[in-house]
Amino acid sequence: MTHAIVWFRKGLRLHDNPALLAACEGARRLYPVFVLDPWFVNPERVGLNRMRFLLESLQDLDRSLRALSSRLLVVRGKPVEVLPGLWRQWQINRLTFERDTEPYALTRDGQVHDLAQPAGVEVIVCTSHTLYDPDQLIKANRGRAPQTYQSFCKLVARLGPPLETVASPASLPSLAEVTEAQYPIPSLSELGYPAQPEAEPSLYQGGEHEGLRRLASYLSDPARVASFSKPDTDPTAFEPPATTALGPYLKFGCISVRTFYTQLQAVYAQLKSHTQPPVSLLGQLYWREFFYTLAYVTPNYDQMVGNPLCRQIAWDDNEPALRAWAEARTGYPWIDAAMTQLRREGWLHHLSRHAVACFLTRGDLWLSWEKGQAVFNQLLIDADWSINASNWMWLSASAFFHAYHRVYSPITFAKGYDPEGHYIRHYLPVLKQFPKQYIYEPWKAPLAVQQQADCLIGQDYPRPIVAHIEAKERNLGRMRAAYAVAP
DNA sequence: TTGCTAGTTGGAAGA
DNA sequence: CTCTTCCAACTAGCA
């Protein structure tokens, strides 16, 4: 007689969830469990927006389970400590979960695995967070991860399409020995997060239903799918953003990447022509997969030291400059507006991420990409360990990207998209009244213009913390020196 | 072994 | 305002 736990971590969905199906298979009892690990429940590590998104996703999952006469059990504590108690209490003999390749998860799951075996609990691990099994990709590539995106694309072309999606369960085995009052979904304030300001509703509502709705909505415009070209999208667009903004839903597995792939291929099949990787929508799914594969097999992937892919660079240590960047006080309106959007909404357009990352590292402030990575990890709803580390190495020219003389200008880059400065005025209302010729460089405005705009630079909005042209020239020299050392 | 090619998304100056 | 050209770069993958 099978009593099973399906352990949700990512993969917060009923559709295309092989671990859920494996738990149900022939089981008399099914316990759907999410373990709120105190390691994650920490506003410094997981910011307000992401924690809220997670709780919303858990609520949505709970509603879906209740529609099938079950519910979600949210257990508080470290998984290695609470799971053994639960499987004794519920006489569990099967545990299923989705494979997670991040280092913290690999360690955690390995420990749980080791505890389950002697307790007579069969462990079933399913791959569904990525299109392909990363081990399969590595094996098919002669034991190493593809080092370039192109070679990754060649590899998946050789392997053929990913595994097909699996159906949602039509019914679930029942729960027992759990009262309604036990294992509730906590509120943000119960977890020690500050109460959400009334005026700031979240732009990204968590959950499988919302994720699938947004996916369907995006794919319902074939012309947009056909012409999607990531580098050509506008980072200053915010109502709505210029890309899919489905990252948060993929990060938590509210939508399955394989479902995304399948539905996207169905749209492509109806089109006469469409864009291709790397810039296409499919290309975005492949970037995700490429970075997951690299991060899986590379030691110390989120650090410079001990990371064989990462160029060793003597970054400065400058806590005030780091704080100014993180708190949107650099004095460059485009950079500060983007950092404000990140902090307020938990999401940023890809090119905005590029611009602020370049500014922090090789462009202007010469601070370590690891510092920026930590801020993004805290503030982004879609903070994804593998992808975040990859992009920070990319932008800081520490790996993958080497044309380090290509530096994003904190003044002219966004001006090309938004000469009026709508984006800046929206996120930095203090600058709202500046005329357009000064909106990207308000420190250049004559005092009379500053007074007219009701914003004195150095008082109401900071002066630039660094002179861009001079900093860029100096940093180019330091980059050249770093590259001159053998890799 | 060596040489060749191409790579997701820049900026500034000048026509 | 739009287009072209130059600036000056490095490496994985492959023939």
Side-chain angles (χ1 to χ4, degrees):
Chain A
M1 195 176 306
T2 301
H3 288 191
I5 286 177
V6 56
W7 179 18
F8 288 98
R9 304 98 60 81
K10 296 171 185 171
L12 303 178
R13 60 174 186 264
L14 296 198
H15 76 278
D16 191 32
N17 191 333
L20 176 59
L21 297 188
C24 292
E25 183 71 38
R28 178 155 175 272
R29 300 276 180 237
L30 173 74
Y31 296 86
V33 165
F34 185 90
V35 182
L36 254 181
D37 183 341
W39 195 82
F40 288 108
V41 184
N42 174 352
E44 297 295 308
R45 184 167 281 133
V46 176
L48 171 72
N49 282 309
R50 184 153 86 256
M51 187 55 73
R52 179 172 55 200
F53 188 95
L54 170 64
L55 295 183
E56 288 167 354
S57 299
L58 296 181
Q59 285 153 3
D60 185 65
L61 182 60
D62 184 50
R63 282 191 291 272
S64 300
L65 292 167
R66 284 174 188 273
L68 297 176
S69 305
S70 184
R71 58 167 284 220
L72 185 65
L73 310 170
V74 177
V75 182
R76 310 275 291 270
K78 292 177 68 170
V80 286
E81 291 171 5
V82 297
L83 284 171
L86 293 177
W87 61 56
R88 276 193 299 272
Q89 190 181 337
W90 297 332
Q91 292 138 34
I92 297 297
N93 48 17
R94 183 192 295 164
L95 173 70
T96 75
F97 54 83
E98 180 184 63
R99 183 170 159 70
D100 186 328
T101 54
E102 295 179 14
Y104 179 82
L106 284 172
T107 303
R108 176 196 62 196
D109 296 349
Q111 289 170 345
V112 169
H113 208 286
D114 292 345
L115 291 167
Q117 299 270 332
V121 179
E122 176 198 14
V123 177
I124 301 174
V125 183
C126 303
T127 297
S128 48
H129 190 64
T130 46
L131 292 169
Y132 296 87
D133 175 350
D135 285 321
Q136 183 207 355
L137 290 177
I138 302 294
K139 195 175 165 205
N141 198 51
R142 288 172 298 172
R144 64 196 293 265
Q147 305 291 298
T148 64
Y149 182 78
Q150 286 232 329
S151 59
F152 176 86
C153 288
K154 283 182 188 167
L155 174 62
V156 295
R158 185 155 59 78
L159 290 176
L163 286 177
E164 289 192 13
T165 57
V166 298
S168 304
S171 64
L172 297 174
S174 64
L175 282 160
E177 298 175 54
V178 181
T179 68
E180 184 58 34
Q182 286 180 295
Y183 311 116
I185 300 172
S187 67
L188 274 171
S189 55
E190 282 170 321
L191 296 179
Y193 283 78
Q196 178 194 346
E198 294 289 332
E200 303 279 356
S202 74
L203 289 180
Y204 307 94
Q205 168 84 32
E208 177 182 16
H209 283 97
E210 179 65 9
L212 288 175
R213 187 192 69 75
R214 287 181 183 226
L215 176 63
S217 166
Y218 199 91
L219 296 181
S220 70
D221 185 345
R224 183 170 58 177
V225 172
S227 63
F228 184 92
S229 178
K230 188 75 162 275
D232 301 328
T233 56
D234 177 357
T236 66
F238 56 93
E239 277 174 344
T243 50
T244 68
L246 288 170
Y249 302 90
L250 286 168
K251 184 248 153 53
F252 282 104
C254 298
I255 54 182
S256 156
V257 67
R258 302 189 304 199
T259 298
F260 194 150
Y261 177 94
T262 305
Q263 294 189 8
L264 178 60
Q265 292 292 2
V267 177
Y268 279 163
Q270 302 299 314
L271 292 165
K272 267 186 268 178
S273 71
H274 57 81
T275 53
Q276 297 290 332
V279 300
S280 64
L281 274 178
L282 177 61
Q284 306 314 302
L285 301 187
Y286 283 169
W287 278 107
R288 176 179 183 272
E289 200 84 0
F290 169 54
F291 287 144
Y292 262 91
T293 311
L294 271 167
Y296 174 51
V297 295
T298 307
N300 303 305
Y301 196 72
D302 62 348
Q303 303 165 37
M304 178 179 80
V305 175
N307 178 344
L309 291 184
C310 184
R311 189 168 296 276
Q312 306 298 299
I313 296 174
W315 303 107
D316 284 343
D317 203 0
N318 184 339
E319 194 60 28
L322 174 64
R323 281 209 308 276
W325 175 83
E327 296 166 12
R329 292 186 282 104
T330 68
Y332 286 93
W334 152 243
I335 300 297
D336 293 339
M339 293 304 289
T340 300
Q341 182 183 21
L342 169 63
R343 188 168 292 274
R344 191 186 297 171
E345 300 174 359
W347 186 85
L348 265 188
H349 184 277
H350 191 61
L351 291 177
S352 310
R353 301 184 195 203
H354 279 210
V356 299
C358 185
F359 187 90
L360 180 76
T361 58
R362 65 190 170 84
D364 294 84
L365 299 183
W366 199 258
L367 299 180
S368 168
W369 61 268
E370 290 176 39
K371 308 277 188 177
Q373 174 186 235
V375 172
F376 272 28
N377 261 334
Q378 181 198 7
L379 297 179
L380 281 170
I381 301 174
D382 60 17
D384 187 305
W385 188 84
S386 308
I387 300 171
N388 196 28
S390 303
N391 279 315
W392 275 99
M393 282 189 269
W394 188 296
L395 261 298
S396 62
S398 297
F400 313 118
F401 173 82
H402 311 286
Y404 54 76
H405 55 279
R406 294 188 178 183
V407 175
Y408 288 89
S409 166
I411 298 155
T412 58
F413 176 70
K415 203 187 273 188
Y417 296 95
D418 180 17
E420 301 290 332
H422 297 301
Y423 178 84
I424 290 169
R425 293 173 210 279
H426 179 77
Y427 288 103
L428 301 177
V430 66
L431 298 172
K432 208 168 170 178
Q433 298 182 69
F434 268 91
K436 63 179 275 193
Q437 69 259 44
Y438 297 115
I439 191 71
Y440 284 90
E441 307 169 271
W443 63 90
K444 287 190 176 171
L447 189 59
V449 174
Q450 296 182 29
Q451 286 166 337
Q452 182 80 30
D454 200 20
C455 176
L456 297 181
I457 299 307
Q459 184 179 314
D460 303 313
Y461 181 75
R463 289 181 215 287
I465 57 167
V466 64
H468 171 65
I469 298 297
E470 287 82 346
K472 182 182 79 170
E473 292 303 324
R474 180 156 166 269
N475 292 344
L476 278 176
R478 295 204 274 195
M479 257 315 180
R480 217 171 281 125
Y483 268 71
V485 180

